[in-house]
Amino acid sequence: MKKGQVYEGMIESVEFPNKGKVFLPEEERYVIVKNGVPGQKVSFSVNKIRKGKAEGRLLEVLEHSPMEIESKCPHFGQCGGCTYQNLPYEEQIRMKETQVKAMMDEAVEGDYIWEGVKPSPVTQEYRNKMEFSFGDEYKDGPLALGMHKRGSFHDIVNVSDCQIVDADYRKILTCTLEYARESGLPYYHRMRHTGFFRHLLVRKAVKTGEILIDLVTTTESEFEKEFDGQRWVKKLLSLELNGTIVGILHTKNDSVADVVKDEGTEILYGQDYFYEELLGLKFKITPFSFFQTNSLGAEVLYETAREYIGETKDKVIFDLYSGTGTIAQILAPVAKKVVGVEIVEEAVEAARENAELNGLNNCTFWAGDVLKVIDELGEVPDLIMLDPPRDGVHPKALEKITNFGVDRVVYIACKPTSLARDLEMLQGRGYRVERIGCVDLFPGTVHIETVCLMSKVK
């Protein structure tokens, strides 16, 4: 087997996150091929061979799987945002459950209760936040605004009919692209590091209908002079939307990295925040603060976490990686005190305001890295809630967390492979896994949230 060779084969199964396994009898080995589903016959070219493992790039689906359906999204297959929109939702859930259960069975020592996957209350138009990128659909093509093409760092797919957001997002996207094209200003070229338009950030609350829009550009002076923000604002405000625009912003970002980064934000209209409601509580959300992207799914997730944490009366709870304080405030009414720690200062400010907004005076929030701040809290918790970013908990932070010796730890993982890795240290330091379940916050995609309850072995 050599790089560049083309093979055909059947995808037998898919491992998390989207690694299709194709067996080649002639080579007597499996090859990992991403972006397929079980039962498809595919052609692929080998693009990586390392330590006896081979990976291939999907070229074409030669025969469809018996379980496949027609995707509702016209961009499916081109856009890199979704992987499983060609599967019935029940099949998506079944596949994700199989993947995570196999992973947890391998990671957990001893018996535990497996509680399966709770589905998302909505499977279409569920996202409350999108980051769209400017670019071109092909080299030197017309200006595009949308998502990265599958497998490409450069090409952008116009996603004017994206199905994981509602009609308001689609109208705002189309309107902004029209304005950008009319302006004649170029997009920011990731390789040359020149140009103006970078990203469009749109956030919309499901419960309140409030919309926040943010255009991210560079500060190149020759382009900034020609940028007419108020013209863009007028175009947006003339749109007929189901929701209500409460803020239109312009963020400056000259970072070389292809990420949305705030290096100064100007309010062009309204305010720089909006409100969402979860489980009867109100939350103020700012442009860059973390908030679960599926509001209705988040309610299911947090109800599950609240159930897992169990009895909280007269308990001090640490909510580590607390974001805008959602979990902390959902636990606070039935706890003695909740202490949140979050590295994003903007999110911490929002969390403090949210606690005040909800009349909760037993929440405190610290800004900083969990690894460093945990030594300064000056309190010993009774229970710990962990909701870390994708990469999981830093090993040194995990060591400090286990040193508290609390009776129960609930770990919410947006990437189950990180949880599986962290379980090794948690179990090695005296914790036993009791229950694991999943909540699907990302229909149509490879992602899933996993909730794990651990108790200290006496």
Side-chain angles (χ1 to χ4, degrees), residues 163-433:
Q163 295 300 300
I164 58 173
V165 293
D166 70 23
D168 285 356
Y169 287 81
R170 298 191 282 267
K171 289 177 181 177
I172 291 164
L173 174 79
T174 302
C175 173
T176 302
L177 179 57
E178 281 176 5
Y179 164 76
R181 283 177 172 172
E182 288 166 6
S183 76
L185 297 173
Y187 74 88
Y188 175 76
H189 198 286
R190 293 164 190 78
M191 300 301 287
R192 299 187 200 121
H193 308 306
T194 59
F196 187 64
F197 292 115
R198 297 195 70 160
H199 299 96
L200 172 69
L201 173 65
V202 185
R203 302 187 79 155
K204 180 184 177 184
V206 172
K207 300 284 183 72
T208 66
E210 294 185 347
I211 301 170
L212 195 64
I213 306 168
D214 190 4
L215 186 65
V216 183
T217 73
T218 64
T219 61
E220 286 199 38
S221 56
E222 60 178 298
F223 302 131
E224 264 206 304
K225 289 174 190 170
E226 296 179 47
F227 173 62
D228 186 350
Q230 287 307 312
R231 188 157 167 270
W232 175 55
V233 168
K234 284 176 187 173
K235 283 178 77 75
L236 288 172
L237 295 178
S238 69
L239 294 173
E240 289 186 18
L241 304 173
N242 292 317
T244 306
I245 296 174
V246 295
I248 301 175
L249 316 174
H250 177 207
T251 291
K252 316 290 176 64
N253 177 16
D254 289 321
S255 165
V256 172
D258 186 27
V259 292
V260 176
K261 189 176 178 185
D262 181 13
E263 294 178 346
T265 296
E266 176 190 359
I267 299 173
L268 301 179
Y269 168 83
Q271 61 203 36
D272 60 354
Y273 59 89
F274 69 104
Y275 290 104
E276 177 62 297
E277 294 170 7
L278 287 185
L279 299 173
L281 296 171
K282 203 169 186 180
F283 296 95
K284 178 182 178 181
I285 304 166
T286 50
F288 305 104
S289 59
F290 174 77
F291 196 83
Q292 290 288 359
T293 53
N294 177 342
S295 297
L296 299 178
E299 291 190 317
V300 179
L301 177 67
Y302 294 147
E303 280 178 329
T304 304
R306 187 160 59 183
E307 179 198 339
Y308 275 32
I309 202 80
E311 178 58 53
T312 55
K313 192 182 178 196
D314 301 323
K315 306 282 189 189
V316 174
I317 304 171
F318 279 7
D319 177 19
L320 306 179
Y321 312 94
S322 54
T324 49
T326 42
I327 297 176
Q329 289 167 76
I330 285 161
L331 296 174
V334 286
K336 180 182 177 182
K337 184 178 183 180
V338 184
V339 179
V341 179
E342 168 60 45
I343 199 165
V344 180
E345 289 191 23
E346 184 185 312
V348 173
E349 283 304 313
R352 289 170 181 155
E353 287 186 46
N354 289 333
E356 194 174 328
L357 190 69
N358 291 308
L360 299 168
N361 55 15
N362 62 337
C363 294
T364 58
F365 295 96
W366 291 64
D369 187 339
V370 168
L371 175 60
K372 296 170 185 171
V373 172
I374 205 166
D375 296 323
E376 302 167 17
L377 298 179
E379 291 188 74
V380 176
D382 299 299
L383 308 167
I384 291 177
M385 180 74 71
L386 295 171
D387 188 6
R390 287 197 182 281
D391 290 338
V393 184
H394 190 287
K396 288 183 179 176
L398 202 55
E399 188 177 337
K400 290 181 179 182
I401 289 163
T402 55
N403 283 343
F404 286 116
V406 299
D407 288 340
R408 295 193 299 279
V409 174
V410 173
Y411 189 132
I412 300 176
C414 54
K415 189 177 179 184
T417 46
S418 296
L419 170 61
R421 183 203 65 216
D422 289 347
L423 281 178
E424 184 179 353
M425 180 185 280
L426 285 158
Q427 290 173 126
R429 292 179 67 85
Y431 281 89
R432 182 176 66 85
V433 175

Side-chain angles (χ1 to χ4, degrees), residues 40 133 257 290 392 417 451:
Q40 286 178 335
S133 298
F290 174 77
T417 46
V451 190

Side-chain angles (χ1 to χ4, degrees), residues 119-189:
S120 171
V122 283
T123 59
Q124 301 281 326
E125 301 186 346
Y126 61 84
R127 283 191 67 97
N128 60 34
K129 176 189 176 185
M130 285 295 277
E131 291 176 5
F132 300 109
S133 298
F134 285 93
D136 48 22
E137 290 202 74
Y138 52 88
K139 192 177 180 185
D140 300 325
L143 185 65
L145 175 59
M147 305 293 287
H148 283 274
K149 190 177 283 187
R150 181 176 284 177
S152 173
F153 290 109
H154 306 291
D155 299 339
I156 300 296
V157 180
N158 282 317
V159 289
S160 53
D161 292 305
C162 176
Q163 295 300 300
I164 58 173
V165 293
D166 70 23
D168 285 356
Y169 287 81
R170 298 191 282 267
K171 289 177 181 177
I172 291 164
L173 174 79
T174 302
C175 173
T176 302
L177 179 57
E178 281 176 5
Y179 164 76
R181 283 177 172 172
E182 288 166 6
S183 76
L185 297 173
Y187 74 88
Y188 175 76
H189 198 286

